[in-house]
Structure formats: C-alpha cells, structure tokens
C-alpha cells in the first residue's frame, strides 16, 4: 500500500525513539478524493489507534492509516532526501485527489477515473473540467465540459485531438467514440 524508503524508515525510527514508547506514525489524507486533498504524516500515540485503522509494520516502527485515507494512499511513497540544500521528507500519493478504481470496475468508472486523474488536472490550468455523463449502448462516452471550457474556441480540438485520442487508446475495444453534449456559449469564465 505505502512504500517507505530505507532512508525514511531510518528517519522515522530515529524520531520515534525520542517519543513515548509505543508511539507510531500516522499517514493520512485530508479532504481525500478532492482537488484540495493533502497528505500528511504525524505522530500517533498508542491510545489514538482506532479499531478500523490499518497498521503497517516497518523496520523499527509501525505506520497507521485510517480507513477513510486507505484507498487514497494506494501506491503512495514516502522518502527522506538529503542534498546540498538540506534534508526533507517527501510524500507522493498519486491517488490522493482521485480514488483509484479497480480493474474490474465498470467502464464508466474507469473512464471517469482517467478523466479525473489525468485530463482534468490539465484542463484546470485553464479553469476547465470535463465529466462523463453517460456511455451509450454503441460505446460512445458522452462528456460534459464546464468551467473555462464553456465558450472556449479550442474545445473541439481538445475533445478530438486530446481527450478522444487518449480515451480510445486507453479503452481500445471497449470505447468507440467520444461526444460532447455541452452547449458552448461565451461566458465570464471562458478562456480564449
């Protein structure tokens, strides 16, 4: 679930040796599954461990993860890096903002996951976003654009050359096309 490098394990063990006996580290996500998601690490005294927490054993310490954060910390990595600027703990959690879906999830869920995790972050640079509204019986993903994409003169290019190519490549044999249902009108949030 969470990979902690040898350097980070040594760092945590050193920090925890100065804490009361039985203290763990807690790895968590605040606002999981949202654009505001943030990951953190804190001390976790023994009396703060809940029955629903997942306890991961590492060299010299345990890491505790609350049940709500668990799916958002899949594939997370914690490292302790030292360079000429000093030392720092790094935490990478690629699924913190978007809950990873299983390979056996429905096509709609898997398409929305790719949109949320890879396409929407790029559209957000221009204040835009896109969502899957439906999947038709003939395998067409019907998308709705919002935010800065509304009224954007580049939306057709974004749809055909960007989103459609990516989704058809990812879901070859399952998805046959992509269609936009949004009426694009110039508005105060439009990007030109």
């Amino acid at each position: 679930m969470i990979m902690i490098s040898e350097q980070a394990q040594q760092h945590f063990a050193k920090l925890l040796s100065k804490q009361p006996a039985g203290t763990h580290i807690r790895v968590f996500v605040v606002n999981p599954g949202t654009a505001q998601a943030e990951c953190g690490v804190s001390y976790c005294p023994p009396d703060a461990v809940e029955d629903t927490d997942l306890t991961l054993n590492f060299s010299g310490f345990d890491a505790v993860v609350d049940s709500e954060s668990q799916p958002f910390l899949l594939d997370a990595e914690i490292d302790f890096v030292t360079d000429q600027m000093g030392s720092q703990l790094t935490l990478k959690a690629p699924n913190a903002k978007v809950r990873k879906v299983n390979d056996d999830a429905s096509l709609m869920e898997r398409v929305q996951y790719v949109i949320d995790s890879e396409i929407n972050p790029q559209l957000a640079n221009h204040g835009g976003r896109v969502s899957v509204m439906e999947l038709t019986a003939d395998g067409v993903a019907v998308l709705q654009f919002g935010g800065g994409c509304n009224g954007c003169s580049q939306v057709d290019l974004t749809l055909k050359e960007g989103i459609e190519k990516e989704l058809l490549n990812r879901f070859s044999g399952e998805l046959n096309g992509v269609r936009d249902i949004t009426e694009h009108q110039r508005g105060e949030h439009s990007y030109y």
Side-chain angles (χ1 to χ4, degrees):
M1 169 183 228
I2 299 173
M3 198 285 292
I4 300 180
S5 72
E6 288 295 322
Q7 296 84 355
Q9 288 184 47
Q10 292 169 7
H11 177 70
F12 286 134
K14 183 178 174 184
L15 290 174
L16 289 168
S17 71
K18 299 173 184 167
Q19 297 299 312
T23 301
H24 311 292
I25 65 163
R26 179 173 289 283
V27 185
F28 58 90
V29 181
V30 177
N31 299 316
T34 70
Q36 296 78 31
E38 295 206 16
C39 300
V41 178
S42 66
Y43 291 119
C44 179
D47 62 349
V49 177
E50 302 288 330
D51 292 339
T52 57
D53 287 343
L54 174 66
T55 301
L56 305 169
N57 305 110
F58 290 96
S59 180
F61 68 95
D62 290 340
V64 178
V65 182
D66 64 272
S67 60
E68 184 181 8
S69 295
Q70 289 174 23
F72 299 96
L73 288 171
L74 289 174
D75 303 324
E77 297 178 11
I78 300 175
D79 198 4
F80 186 71
V81 182
T82 303
D83 58 24
Q84 62 243 42
M85 301 298 288
S87 300
Q88 76 174 4
L89 196 62
T90 63
L91 197 157
K92 296 177 185 171
N95 298 303
K97 294 182 187 301
V98 181
R99 184 179 184 160
K100 189 172 183 175
V101 296
N102 294 327
D103 293 338
D104 62 351
S106 73
L107 179 59
M108 183 141 173
E109 289 174 306
R110 290 181 287 130
V111 169
Q112 188 65 55
Y113 173 75
V114 170
I115 287 173
D116 288 340
S117 63
E118 298 178 30
I119 295 170
N120 277 339
Q122 295 175 37
L123 294 177
N125 292 333
H126 303 285
R129 67 183 176 283
V130 67
S131 298
V132 181
M133 301 310 292
E134 70 173 297
L135 288 175
T136 66
D138 58 346
V140 175
V142 180
L143 307 180
Q144 181 171 26
F145 286 85
C149 292
N150 183 27
C152 177
S153 61
Q154 298 297 311
V155 79
D156 289 335
L157 183 64
T158 299
L159 178 69
K160 291 296 178 189
E161 294 300 317
I163 297 171
E164 184 174 55
K165 278 187 176 180
E166 179 64 24
L167 293 178
L168 291 178
N169 182 48
R170 286 283 181 96
F171 301 101
S172 177
E174 293 182 273
L175 204 58
N176 298 318
V178 177
R179 187 173 72 230
D180 176 17
I181 65 167
T182 310
E183 287 185 36
H184 294 280
Q185 301 170 356
R186 290 180 175 258
E188 64 180 272
H189 299 292
S190 298
Y191 179 82
Y192 299 99

